[in-house]
Amino acid sequence: MMLRVLWLFAAFDAALLLDTGMLFPRESSSREVKALNGLWAFRADRSPNRNQGFERAWYKSSLAETGPVIDMPVPASYNDITQDATLRDFIGWVWYEREVTVPARWITDGLRVVLRVGSAHYYSVVWVNGVKVTEHEGGHLPFEAEIGTLLREDPTMPCRITIAVNNTLTLQTLPPGTIQYMNDRTRYPDGFFVQNINFDFFNYAGIHRPVLLYTTPKAYVDDITVVTDFLDNTGLVRYNVSVQGASSATVKVTLMDKGGHCVASSTEPSGVLKVVDVSLWWPYLMHESPGYLYSLEVTDSESIDVYALPVGIRTINVTSTQFLINNKPFYFHGVNKHEDADIRGKGLDWPLVVKDFNLIKWLGANSFRTSHYPYAEEILQMCDRHGIVVIDESPGVGIKDIRSFGNASLTHHLAVMDELVRRDKNHPSVVMWSVANEPAAEMNPAEYYFKTLITHTKALDPTRPVTYVTYSNYARDKGAPFVDVICINSYFSWYHDQGHLEVIPLQLNTQFEDWYGKYKKPIIQSEYGADAVAGLHNDPPVMFTEEYQKEVLQNYHSVFDQKRKKYVIGELIWNFADFMTTQGILRVVGNKKGIFTRQRQPKAAAFILKERYWRLANETGTLPLWTKYPCPL
Ligand code: BDP
């Protein structure tokens, strides 16, 4: 027991490399949250250098005074909201603005008022009443600014929030991209340029997640980190709380069970809570009541600020052949997703989120990978509650150009991992970090790049395994020696050997034997699949029909069934649903490898997978009680 506690302490010292917190804004007796979702004024800067907004300081007055504005919903991508193809494909700065009146008590009571943007793609600058309060590089992750002092300058004035967002990608951004000017005036008009990307999803842009204002007292809980373990029936919750603005560093922490009963408490800012008769956090289909969450209620010494963090008690371990959750082998039978839907693009949309969880559970899937960027925190909270296991991926997708392996790129990638781990470290559903998808891992600089990135991520969080997803040749992959789990994508009889379904078992068997033979690490088939245009049929199967997609899957499954008894620890279908991409001759109004359409209707492959996943769950897990009665979903 003592050894375990020491190990937990060690884990924390490393995690403390992260200095300030990014706790999800939650209401409590000391905190209020005000959502600024809804309609914002919007204007794209169509000037040739896209810089007029800055030159003429659009943030200094109301946006409508600078020129024509349109209504733009937040959260949503702006691309598919209008009938204008030039806005759909727009590259450069777009400007958002709205006014908000805050309750007078926020000002008179001397509270901290924080503006938080859940995510905006890609580079953002934020002003409040014409004063710049923050800027942030990168989509998919939140950023904040404290704006209380600006509000206090003139409490009678409504507060004008202006956010400029730029979706231009460079060789140093994540994902990377390049702008290419077309200078042949016989073929392209003056000023014509395109943005080249190396990833297969539409580069949606705008304010994708909620914009919130929230308050805290002046002395406030800035960050909480928990790491959990258990021994026999006793749960261990090692926690660390950081409080800002308080004279004393003492805190009160109380761990409550689901019924609201206190099961452990302490007055130290860090320590280990012991939970007798612990209810562990289990994945969906591995236990009768998955997703058990305690609540860690934290207050500063004077109980002025109160924050309640959901906590799931579970462990993760990896051996050379297994992935263990709570010391039991876990087999990933799941999906890869995208944040993607008609009209709203990548904007967070609750009906879609809940529908997707119902489909995941219907399918009997127990996990997903956040391909190819961090998803909304609201989605991870759903995973915590429903026991859906997550491989949490950074936006390191499309790193193909050797210039994207340089120092500037690596520095940014390390900073993104800091932000990702800081945001998601406390989610029990997150069981592994993926630092990238299909980088050019055979290039020489990849070795230093991935060694540094993976070592850094492990230092941030020694409690979770780290991987990246590869598509390269096993013998030439430079990063594989550093990962804990090998994740491989392959598309046999799709991107090569087209139409030859019969080669799949042989090629897949060779793939697994090669990788395991060389690295002796557990393997996840992190992508496989085939495009199928819903409603297109042919028998014998032909590419793009539902029959072909079905048979690709079945051929892969026969090999998975042999190898999962050995060292294959998971299979994630590409993709959960059809999704939008840039236009190209390989794409029929987007990528059609979904087992559901973009509107979330099943193709034939969905039924194949459903039958398989429930069978796997029956073999490897404990089905929840409700499965013994008619399915409520
Ligand atoms: C994989 C990529 C994924 C693509 C998929 C495909 O990781 O983003 O969408 O191929 O081509 O290599 O469908």
Side-chain angles (χ1 to χ4, degrees), residues 26 104 163 169 221 224 232-233 281 283 295 319 328 371 394 476 569 582:
R26 290 175 190 279
I163 307 182
L169 301 172
V221 177
I224 308 170
D232 303 323
N233 259 352
W281 185 94
S295 174
T319 72
K328 296 230 168 95
S371 42
S394 91
R476 279 182 280 135
I569 57 163
T582 40

Side-chain angles (χ1 to χ4, degrees), residues 98-124:
R98 74 161 273 180
E99 288 194 341
V100 55
T101 309
V102 304
R105 64 178 180 281
W106 285 20
I107 294 162
T108 50
D109 293 358
L111 299 173
R112 279 177 77 238
V113 180
V114 183
L115 172 65
R116 177 184 178 108
V117 180
S119 81
H121 193 89
Y122 167 77
Y123 198 99
S124 313

Side-chain angles (χ1 to χ4, degrees), residues 320-321 512-523 567:
S320 62
T321 56
F512 285 142
E513 291 293 294
D514 283 348
W515 281 90
Y516 190 74
K518 182 157 164 92
Y519 298 104
K520 300 282 185 297
K521 293 178 185 179
I523 301 179
Y567 50 79

Side-chain angles (χ1 to χ4, degrees), residues 274-290:
K274 289 192 187 143
V275 186
V276 182
D277 268 336
V278 63
S279 298
L280 296 177
W281 185 94
W282 286 100
Y284 174 56
L285 301 180
M286 209 170 165
H287 191 266
E288 281 182 358
S289 19

Side-chain angles (χ1 to χ4, degrees), residues 200 372 437-438 489 491 495 527 574 579 587 591 593:
D200 182 37
H372 293 311
N437 179 67
E438 296 187 356
N489 298 346
Y491 287 91
Y495 287 118
E527 285 183 28
W574 190 264
F579 58 92
R587 298 288 174 253
N591 187 309
K593 293 193 185 68

